[in-house]
Amino acid sequence: MKSNSTQDVTLNPETLPAHVAIIMDGNGRWAKKKMMNRIKGHEQGSQIVRSVVTACRELEIGTLTLYAFSTENWARPKHEVKALMMLLKKFIVSERENLLKNNIRLNIIGQKHKLPLDVQKEVDATMELTKDNNKMLLNLALSYGSREEITTAVKQIVEKIESKNLDSRDITQDLISDHLYTKAMPDPDLIIRTGGEYRLSNFLLWQAAYSEIYICDTLWPDFTKDEFIKILKNYQERDRRFGKVACSTSNDG
Ligand code: IPE
Ligand code: IPE
Ligand code: MG
């Protein structure tokens, strides 16, 4: 990722998103274009992650969620899954110091228990080491799928009702949110998808109710800080109405 050449773009620090979520797609196509193995694309993609984390930290964006591995990605060829897990472990270990130094807390959303034990061990160690960090939350979505997340939440709620720890009349939207992996986090204000596909691929379906969505053709390994800043600028120019009437027209009587 290029360091910066963002002179032409000025962001308003007051209206930056509190939570940015990214569907980091296009590693395989990037490698294919370069006549390389898909794994090379994943390797290059993991390099980009650090620069986006750094950019968010510099901009004081409170929460960054990165979709790194979906529940559906387990169905990829065994050797690709293995390589992805290996890269993930490498990333978790190599970023430890950087996260500590920059006061960033690591959290996992998804089925952490499904990850290989050696990966879980490193993930747990980094989560424990960074648990008191409070300048930024880095959520890695690993073995994450929204439908799994919602299904698990429903089961937990039903169990509470059956054990008389909850009355069904107390089920609210907030209660449901509190049973998701993203409990206590703001919903994503902005969801970016690289790689040009117009779909959410089972990512944050509940939480994305009013997210602004930005899709770019850039393949994840080519994503730059410049492009990220331009996307944030585009976000700041949008009118988020949440179903209401635009601020500029609300006094028209
Ligand atoms: C995203 O890149 C990384 C993961 C889903 C793990 P892809 O591997 O999906 O890349 P494309 O979409 O095939 O180019
Ligand atoms: C979404 O990308 C998942 C991640 C980026 C981790 P996919 O490549 O798995 O999504 P589809 O298959 O194009 O929908
Ligand atoms: Mg893909």
Side-chain angles (χ1 to χ4, degrees):
M1 192 183 251
K2 289 168 211 152
S3 57
N4 79 66
S5 58
T6 52
Q7 311 84 306
D8 50 332
V9 180
T10 312
L11 293 170
N12 177 356
E14 304 291 316
T15 56
L16 279 167
H19 183 176
V20 174
I22 308 183
I23 303 173
M24 308 182 290
D25 197 23
N27 295 350
R29 279 163 284 163
W30 182 89
K32 194 173 175 200
K33 253 176 54 184
K34 295 196 154 21
M35 315 268 277
M36 293 193 290
N37 184 299
R38 290 178 59 83
I39 311 302
K40 289 278 171 219
H42 296 313
E43 278 172 19
Q44 187 57 33
S46 70
Q47 300 294 316
I48 305 302
V49 174
R50 172 181 263 197
S51 14
V52 174
V53 172
T54 306
C56 284
R57 177 67 186 85
E58 283 168 6
L59 291 161
E60 300 187 2
I61 289 170
T63 305
L64 172 67
T65 300
L66 299 173
Y67 203 9
F69 193 86
S70 73
T71 45
E72 288 73 24
N73 289 152
W74 291 112
R76 290 191 178 198
K78 256 200 183 120
H79 73 276
E80 182 169 344
V81 171
K82 207 170 155 201
L84 281 165
M85 291 299 145
M86 202 267 296
L87 277 172
L88 172 64
K89 183 173 157 186
K90 215 169 130 191
F91 174 82
I92 296 285
V93 174
S94 68
E95 285 315 288
R96 219 167 253 162
E97 210 170 297
N98 196 36
L99 296 176
L100 269 178
K101 196 175 76 198
N102 290 299
N103 208 343
I104 301 169
R105 177 159 73 91
L106 175 76
N107 181 56
I108 304 302
I109 62 169
Q111 303 164 299
K112 184 159 71 76
H113 62 278
K114 290 234 169 138
L115 302 174
L117 283 178
D118 58 325
V119 179
Q120 278 187 53
K121 200 177 135 234
E122 299 301 348
V123 163
D124 286 340
T126 304
M127 280 174 64
E128 176 62 26
L129 261 176
T130 62
K131 71 177 192 307
D132 296 323
N133 290 355
N134 58 13
K135 284 289 178 203
M136 182 179 141
L137 174 65
L138 171 62
N139 272 324
L140 283 188
L142 298 175
S143 191
Y144 175 86
S146 249
R147 289 184 169 185
E148 185 281 325
E149 176 181 44
I150 294 169
T151 307
T152 303
V154 170
K155 283 186 187 158
Q156 287 172 359
I157 292 169
V158 169
E159 274 165 24
K160 285 184 188 171
I161 294 171
E162 283 177 351
S163 62
K164 308 262 184 274
N165 286 315
L166 181 72
D167 190 308
S168 61
R169 284 168 297 195
D170 293 331
I171 297 177
T172 59
Q173 294 186 16
D174 284 345
L175 182 110
I176 293 172
S177 293
D178 281 349
H179 286 80
L180 301 178
Y181 294 122
T182 49
K183 174 182 162 90
M185 299 171 198
D187 285 338
D189 298 295
L190 172 64
I191 297 179
I192 300 169
R193 182 170 188 145
T194 61
E197 309 284 5
Y198 284 70
R199 54 179 173 256
L200 286 173
S201 302
N202 205 6
F203 188 49
L204 302 176
L205 301 182
W206 170 276
Q207 299 87 337
Y210 269 100
S211 302
E212 294 299 322
I213 298 178
Y214 190 102
I215 291 161
C216 60
D217 287 333
T218 308
L219 303 171
W220 177 250
D222 287 330
F223 196 69
T224 63
K225 181 179 175 183
D226 279 7
E227 185 161 14
F228 184 51
I229 303 277
K230 282 180 190 146
I231 294 170
L232 291 170
K233 183 73 185 165
N234 174 283
Y235 165 85
Q236 293 194 318
E237 287 162 355
R238 295 188 188 187
D239 184 12
R240 299 186 75 189
R241 290 188 290 279
F242 299 96
K244 299 170 194 157
V245 174
C247 296
S248 54
T249 55
S250 61
N251 293 329
D252 289 357

PDB file of all heavy atoms in Angstrom, residues 8 48 59-62 66 81 89 97 101 112 114 121 125 133 137 157 165 174 195 213 230 239 241 243:
ATOM      1  N   ASP A   8      -5.037  15.970  -2.045  1.00  0.00           N
ATOM      2  CA  ASP A   8      -6.218  16.533  -2.690  1.00  0.00           C
ATOM      3  C   ASP A   8      -7.524  16.184  -1.971  1.00  0.00           C
ATOM      4  O   ASP A   8      -8.574  16.674  -2.332  1.00  0.00           O
ATOM      5  CB  ASP A   8      -6.275  16.059  -4.153  1.00  0.00           C
ATOM      6  CG  ASP A   8      -6.100  14.561  -4.284  1.00  0.00           C
ATOM      7  OD1 ASP A   8      -5.430  13.973  -3.415  1.00  0.00           O
ATOM      8  OD2 ASP A   8      -6.633  13.994  -5.239  1.00  0.00           O
ATOM      9  N   ILE A  48      -1.750  -6.082   2.818  1.00  0.00           N
ATOM     10  CA  ILE A  48      -2.563  -4.855   2.735  1.00  0.00           C
ATOM     11  C   ILE A  48      -3.295  -4.592   4.050  1.00  0.00           C
ATOM     12  O   ILE A  48      -3.561  -3.448   4.402  1.00  0.00           O
ATOM     13  CB  ILE A  48      -3.580  -4.971   1.559  1.00  0.00           C
ATOM     14  CG1 ILE A  48      -2.865  -5.292   0.244  1.00  0.00           C
ATOM     15  CG2 ILE A  48      -4.433  -3.719   1.411  1.00  0.00           C
ATOM     16  CD1 ILE A  48      -1.810  -4.295  -0.192  1.00  0.00           C
ATOM     17  N   LEU A  59      -6.655   7.696  11.624  1.00  0.00           N
ATOM     18  CA  LEU A  59      -7.861   8.518  11.439  1.00  0.00           C
ATOM     19  C   LEU A  59      -8.776   8.487  12.660  1.00  0.00           C
ATOM     20  O   LEU A  59      -9.783   9.175  12.701  1.00  0.00           O
ATOM     21  CB  LEU A  59      -8.647   8.023  10.215  1.00  0.00           C
ATOM     22  CG  LEU A  59      -7.999   8.265   8.865  1.00  0.00           C
ATOM     23  CD1 LEU A  59      -8.610   7.353   7.802  1.00  0.00           C
ATOM     24  CD2 LEU A  59      -8.158   9.722   8.466  1.00  0.00           C
ATOM     25  N   GLU A  60      -8.406   7.658  13.630  1.00  0.00           N
ATOM     26  CA  GLU A  60      -9.209   7.479  14.853  1.00  0.00           C
ATOM     27  C   GLU A  60     -10.594   6.907  14.579  1.00  0.00           C
ATOM     28  O   GLU A  60     -11.594   7.312  15.182  1.00  0.00           O
ATOM     29  CB  GLU A  60      -9.267   8.774  15.672  1.00  0.00           C
ATOM     30  CG  GLU A  60      -7.885   9.228  16.086  1.00  0.00           C
ATOM     31  CD  GLU A  60      -7.880  10.407  17.041  1.00  0.00           C
ATOM     32  OE1 GLU A  60      -8.967  10.861  17.430  1.00  0.00           O
ATOM     33  OE2 GLU A  60      -6.782  10.845  17.399  1.00  0.00           O
ATOM     34  N   ILE A  61     -10.639   5.974  13.641  1.00  0.00           N
ATOM     35  CA  ILE A  61     -11.868   5.207  13.410  1.00  0.00           C
ATOM     36  C   ILE A  61     -11.906   4.133  14.504  1.00  0.00           C
ATOM     37  O   ILE A  61     -10.951   3.379  14.670  1.00  0.00           O
ATOM     38  CB  ILE A  61     -11.869   4.609  11.985  1.00  0.00           C
ATOM     39  CG1 ILE A  61     -12.060   5.745  10.964  1.00  0.00           C
ATOM     40  CG2 ILE A  61     -12.931   3.518  11.826  1.00  0.00           C
ATOM     41  CD1 ILE A  61     -11.859   5.381   9.530  1.00  0.00           C
ATOM     42  N   GLY A  62     -12.990   4.095  15.267  1.00  0.00           N
ATOM     43  CA  GLY A  62     -13.012   3.272  16.487  1.00  0.00           C
ATOM     44  C   GLY A  62     -13.049   1.775  16.254  1.00  0.00           C
ATOM     45  O   GLY A  62     -12.457   1.003  16.997  1.00  0.00           O
ATOM     46  N   LEU A  66     -12.873  -6.770   9.535  1.00  0.00           N
ATOM     47  CA  LEU A  66     -12.346  -7.295   8.274  1.00  0.00           C
ATOM     48  C   LEU A  66     -12.843  -8.717   8.054  1.00  0.00           C
ATOM     49  O   LEU A  66     -12.635  -9.597   8.902  1.00  0.00           O
ATOM     50  CB  LEU A  66     -10.814  -7.282   8.313  1.00  0.00           C
ATOM     51  CG  LEU A  66     -10.169  -5.906   8.474  1.00  0.00           C
ATOM     52  CD1 LEU A  66      -8.656  -6.050   8.661  1.00  0.00           C
ATOM     53  CD2 LEU A  66     -10.483  -5.006   7.273  1.00  0.00           C
ATOM     54  N   VAL A  81      -7.479 -23.697   1.998  1.00  0.00           N
ATOM     55  CA  VAL A  81      -7.917 -23.434   3.381  1.00  0.00           C
ATOM     56  C   VAL A  81      -6.695 -23.497   4.301  1.00  0.00           C
ATOM     57  O   VAL A  81      -6.494 -22.630   5.165  1.00  0.00           O
ATOM     58  CB  VAL A  81      -9.000 -24.456   3.819  1.00  0.00           C
ATOM     59  CG1 VAL A  81      -9.298 -24.321   5.301  1.00  0.00           C
ATOM     60  CG2 VAL A  81     -10.278 -24.254   2.998  1.00  0.00           C
ATOM     61  N   LYS A  89      -2.441 -17.251  10.948  1.00  0.00           N
ATOM     62  CA  LYS A  89      -1.620 -17.446  12.146  1.00  0.00           C
ATOM     63  C   LYS A  89      -0.394 -16.511  12.100  1.00  0.00           C
ATOM     64  O   LYS A  89      -0.065 -15.837  13.076  1.00  0.00           O
ATOM     65  CB  LYS A  89      -1.195 -18.909  12.210  1.00  0.00           C
ATOM     66  CG  LYS A  89      -0.394 -19.263  13.442  1.00  0.00           C
ATOM     67  CD  LYS A  89      -0.174 -20.757  13.491  1.00  0.00           C
ATOM     68  CE  LYS A  89       1.035 -21.106  14.319  1.00  0.00           C
ATOM     69  NZ  LYS A  89       1.342 -22.541  14.257  1.00  0.00           N
ATOM     70  N   GLU A  97       2.863  -7.067  18.206  1.00  0.00           N
ATOM     71  CA  GLU A  97       3.602  -5.900  18.711  1.00  0.00           C
ATOM     72  C   GLU A  97       2.981  -4.593  18.223  1.00  0.00           C
ATOM     73  O   GLU A  97       2.819  -3.632  18.971  1.00  0.00           O
ATOM     74  CB  GLU A  97       5.036  -5.997  18.213  1.00  0.00           C
ATOM     75  CG  GLU A  97       6.029  -5.365  19.161  1.00  0.00           C
ATOM     76  CD  GLU A  97       7.438  -5.720  18.717  1.00  0.00           C
ATOM     77  OE1 GLU A  97       7.766  -6.931  18.730  1.00  0.00           O
ATOM     78  OE2 GLU A  97       8.159  -4.808  18.320  1.00  0.00           O
ATOM     79  N   LYS A 101       1.535  -1.679  20.510  1.00  0.00           N
ATOM     80  CA  LYS A 101       2.133  -0.342  20.415  1.00  0.00           C
ATOM     81  C   LYS A 101       1.072   0.712  20.077  1.00  0.00           C
ATOM     82  O   LYS A 101       1.116   1.839  20.565  1.00  0.00           O
ATOM     83  CB  LYS A 101       3.205  -0.386  19.312  1.00  0.00           C
ATOM     84  CG  LYS A 101       4.166   0.787  19.332  1.00  0.00           C
ATOM     85  CD  LYS A 101       5.263   0.607  18.303  1.00  0.00           C
ATOM     86  CE  LYS A 101       4.707   0.904  16.927  1.00  0.00           C
ATOM     87  NZ  LYS A 101       5.483   0.391  15.822  1.00  0.00           N
ATOM     88  N   LYS A 112     -14.787 -19.138  16.309  1.00  0.00           N
ATOM     89  CA  LYS A 112     -13.359 -19.268  16.667  1.00  0.00           C
ATOM     90  C   LYS A 112     -13.002 -20.721  16.962  1.00  0.00           C
ATOM     91  O   LYS A 112     -11.913 -21.179  16.607  1.00  0.00           O
ATOM     92  CB  LYS A 112     -13.061 -18.355  17.861  1.00  0.00           C
ATOM     93  CG  LYS A 112     -11.612 -18.321  18.275  1.00  0.00           C
ATOM     94  CD  LYS A 112     -11.262 -17.082  19.075  1.00  0.00           C
ATOM     95  CE  LYS A 112     -11.837 -17.057  20.473  1.00  0.00           C
ATOM     96  NZ  LYS A 112     -11.157 -17.905  21.451  1.00  0.00           N
ATOM     97  N   LYS A 114     -13.868 -23.275  15.568  1.00  0.00           N
ATOM     98  CA  LYS A 114     -13.693 -24.130  14.377  1.00  0.00           C
ATOM     99  C   LYS A 114     -12.301 -23.974  13.755  1.00  0.00           C
ATOM    100  O   LYS A 114     -11.920 -24.715  12.848  1.00  0.00           O
ATOM    101  CB  LYS A 114     -14.748 -23.778  13.316  1.00  0.00           C
ATOM    102  CG  LYS A 114     -16.149 -24.199  13.712  1.00  0.00           C
ATOM    103  CD  LYS A 114     -16.794 -25.053  12.649  1.00  0.00           C
ATOM    104  CE  LYS A 114     -18.065 -25.688  13.158  1.00  0.00           C
ATOM    105  NZ  LYS A 114     -19.139 -25.667  12.181  1.00  0.00           N
ATOM    106  N   LYS A 121      -4.835 -20.852  19.390  1.00  0.00           N
ATOM    107  CA  LYS A 121      -3.899 -20.553  20.480  1.00  0.00           C
ATOM    108  C   LYS A 121      -3.276 -19.164  20.287  1.00  0.00           C
ATOM    109  O   LYS A 121      -3.216 -18.349  21.217  1.00  0.00           O
ATOM    110  CB  LYS A 121      -2.802 -21.636  20.480  1.00  0.00           C
ATOM    111  CG  LYS A 121      -2.068 -21.750  21.786  1.00  0.00           C
ATOM    112  CD  LYS A 121      -1.055 -22.894  21.743  1.00  0.00           C
ATOM    113  CE  LYS A 121       0.244 -22.390  22.338  1.00  0.00           C
ATOM    114  NZ  LYS A 121       1.398 -22.566  21.503  1.00  0.00           N
ATOM    115  N   ALA A 125      -3.950 -15.744  22.443  1.00  0.00           N
ATOM    116  CA  ALA A 125      -2.825 -15.036  23.075  1.00  0.00           C
ATOM    117  C   ALA A 125      -2.851 -13.555  22.702  1.00  0.00           C
ATOM    118  O   ALA A 125      -2.676 -12.676  23.553  1.00  0.00           O
ATOM    119  CB  ALA A 125      -1.503 -15.682  22.643  1.00  0.00           C
ATOM    120  N   ASN A 133      -6.534  -2.683  25.526  1.00  0.00           N
ATOM    121  CA  ASN A 133      -6.312  -1.582  24.569  1.00  0.00           C
ATOM    122  C   ASN A 133      -7.646  -0.934  24.218  1.00  0.00           C
ATOM    123  O   ASN A 133      -8.647  -1.616  24.034  1.00  0.00           O
ATOM    124  CB  ASN A 133      -5.633  -2.116  23.304  1.00  0.00           C
ATOM    125  CG  ASN A 133      -4.190  -2.522  23.581  1.00  0.00           C
ATOM    126  OD1 ASN A 133      -3.694  -2.322  24.683  1.00  0.00           O
ATOM    127  ND2 ASN A 133      -3.540  -3.073  22.587  1.00  0.00           N
ATOM    128  N   LEU A 137     -10.780  -0.944  17.965  1.00  0.00           N
ATOM    129  CA  LEU A 137     -11.126  -2.364  18.007  1.00  0.00           C
ATOM    130  C   LEU A 137     -10.953  -2.935  16.607  1.00  0.00           C
ATOM    131  O   LEU A 137     -11.546  -2.430  15.650  1.00  0.00           O
ATOM    132  CB  LEU A 137     -12.584  -2.518  18.479  1.00  0.00           C
ATOM    133  CG  LEU A 137     -13.144  -3.936  18.436  1.00  0.00           C
ATOM    134  CD1 LEU A 137     -12.408  -4.858  19.406  1.00  0.00           C
ATOM    135  CD2 LEU A 137     -14.636  -3.923  18.772  1.00  0.00           C
ATOM    136  N   ILE A 157     -31.341 -17.401  22.810  1.00  0.00           N
ATOM    137  CA  ILE A 157     -32.519 -16.721  23.345  1.00  0.00           C
ATOM    138  C   ILE A 157     -33.577 -17.756  23.766  1.00  0.00           C
ATOM    139  O   ILE A 157     -34.153 -17.662  24.854  1.00  0.00           O
ATOM    140  CB  ILE A 157     -33.070 -15.699  22.313  1.00  0.00           C
ATOM    141  CG1 ILE A 157     -32.063 -14.553  22.148  1.00  0.00           C
ATOM    142  CG2 ILE A 157     -34.445 -15.175  22.729  1.00  0.00           C
ATOM    143  CD1 ILE A 157     -32.335 -13.613  20.982  1.00  0.00           C
ATOM    144  N   ASN A 165     -35.130 -17.723  32.253  1.00  0.00           N
ATOM    145  CA  ASN A 165     -34.275 -16.557  32.493  1.00  0.00           C
ATOM    146  C   ASN A 165     -34.649 -15.375  31.606  1.00  0.00           C
ATOM    147  O   ASN A 165     -34.024 -14.321  31.658  1.00  0.00           O
ATOM    148  CB  ASN A 165     -32.799 -16.924  32.260  1.00  0.00           C
ATOM    149  CG  ASN A 165     -32.269 -17.769  33.389  1.00  0.00           C
ATOM    150  OD1 ASN A 165     -32.506 -17.459  34.560  1.00  0.00           O
ATOM    151  ND2 ASN A 165     -31.605 -18.862  33.047  1.00  0.00           N
ATOM    152  N   ASP A 174     -32.802  -4.736  20.339  1.00  0.00           N
ATOM    153  CA  ASP A 174     -31.562  -4.608  21.108  1.00  0.00           C
ATOM    154  C   ASP A 174     -31.144  -5.940  21.721  1.00  0.00           C
ATOM    155  O   ASP A 174     -29.966  -6.268  21.776  1.00  0.00           O
ATOM    156  CB  ASP A 174     -31.720  -3.558  22.228  1.00  0.00           C
ATOM    157  CG  ASP A 174     -31.679  -2.140  21.671  1.00  0.00           C
ATOM    158  OD1 ASP A 174     -31.249  -1.980  20.515  1.00  0.00           O
ATOM    159  OD2 ASP A 174     -32.092  -1.212  22.389  1.00  0.00           O
ATOM    160  N   GLY A 195     -13.049  -5.907  -5.222  1.00  0.00           N
ATOM    161  CA  GLY A 195     -13.226  -7.027  -6.151  1.00  0.00           C
ATOM    162  C   GLY A 195     -14.478  -6.953  -7.012  1.00  0.00           C
ATOM    163  O   GLY A 195     -14.724  -7.841  -7.821  1.00  0.00           O
ATOM    164  N   ILE A 213     -22.959   1.395   1.599  1.00  0.00           N
ATOM    165  CA  ILE A 213     -22.185   0.346   0.930  1.00  0.00           C
ATOM    166  C   ILE A 213     -21.364   0.963  -0.204  1.00  0.00           C
ATOM    167  O   ILE A 213     -21.872   1.816  -0.957  1.00  0.00           O
ATOM    168  CB  ILE A 213     -23.122  -0.768   0.413  1.00  0.00           C
ATOM    169  CG1 ILE A 213     -23.827  -1.404   1.629  1.00  0.00           C
ATOM    170  CG2 ILE A 213     -22.354  -1.831  -0.379  1.00  0.00           C
ATOM    171  CD1 ILE A 213     -24.817  -2.491   1.317  1.00  0.00           C
ATOM    172  N   LYS A 230     -10.359   8.159  -0.310  1.00  0.00           N
ATOM    173  CA  LYS A 230     -11.369   8.643  -1.262  1.00  0.00           C
ATOM    174  C   LYS A 230     -12.737   8.034  -0.967  1.00  0.00           C
ATOM    175  O   LYS A 230     -13.774   8.688  -1.101  1.00  0.00           O
ATOM    176  CB  LYS A 230     -10.938   8.323  -2.700  1.00  0.00           C
ATOM    177  CG  LYS A 230      -9.878   9.305  -3.170  1.00  0.00           C
ATOM    178  CD  LYS A 230      -9.415   9.040  -4.580  1.00  0.00           C
ATOM    179  CE  LYS A 230      -8.197   9.910  -4.865  1.00  0.00           C
ATOM    180  NZ  LYS A 230      -7.229   9.257  -5.750  1.00  0.00           N
ATOM    181  N   ASP A 239     -25.980  11.387   2.051  1.00  0.00           N
ATOM    182  CA  ASP A 239     -27.035  11.833   2.945  1.00  0.00           C
ATOM    183  C   ASP A 239     -27.655  10.586   3.573  1.00  0.00           C
ATOM    184  O   ASP A 239     -28.390   9.848   2.911  1.00  0.00           O
ATOM    185  CB  ASP A 239     -28.071  12.607   2.109  1.00  0.00           C
ATOM    186  CG  ASP A 239     -29.168  13.201   2.966  1.00  0.00           C
ATOM    187  OD1 ASP A 239     -29.007  13.212   4.205  1.00  0.00           O
ATOM    188  OD2 ASP A 239     -30.177  13.635   2.396  1.00  0.00           O
ATOM    189  N   ARG A 241     -30.280   8.994   5.504  1.00  0.00           N
ATOM    190  CA  ARG A 241     -31.619   9.428   5.927  1.00  0.00           C
ATOM    191  C   ARG A 241     -32.285   8.493   6.935  1.00  0.00           C
ATOM    192  O   ARG A 241     -33.211   8.871   7.611  1.00  0.00           O
ATOM    193  CB  ARG A 241     -32.514   9.610   4.702  1.00  0.00           C
ATOM    194  CG  ARG A 241     -32.104  10.813   3.852  1.00  0.00           C
ATOM    195  CD  ARG A 241     -33.086  11.116   2.766  1.00  0.00           C
ATOM    196  NE  ARG A 241     -33.087  10.123   1.713  1.00  0.00           N
ATOM    197  CZ  ARG A 241     -32.213  10.084   0.719  1.00  0.00           C
ATOM    198  NH1 ARG A 241     -31.255  10.998   0.639  1.00  0.00           N
ATOM    199  NH2 ARG A 241     -32.279   9.144  -0.203  1.00  0.00           N
ATOM    200  N   GLY A 243     -34.453   6.385   6.621  1.00  0.00           N
ATOM    201  CA  GLY A 243     -35.901   6.313   6.395  1.00  0.00           C
ATOM    202  C   GLY A 243     -36.641   7.614   6.615  1.00  0.00           C
ATOM    203  O   GLY A 243     -37.845   7.695   6.391  1.00  0.00           O
TER     204      GLY A 243
END
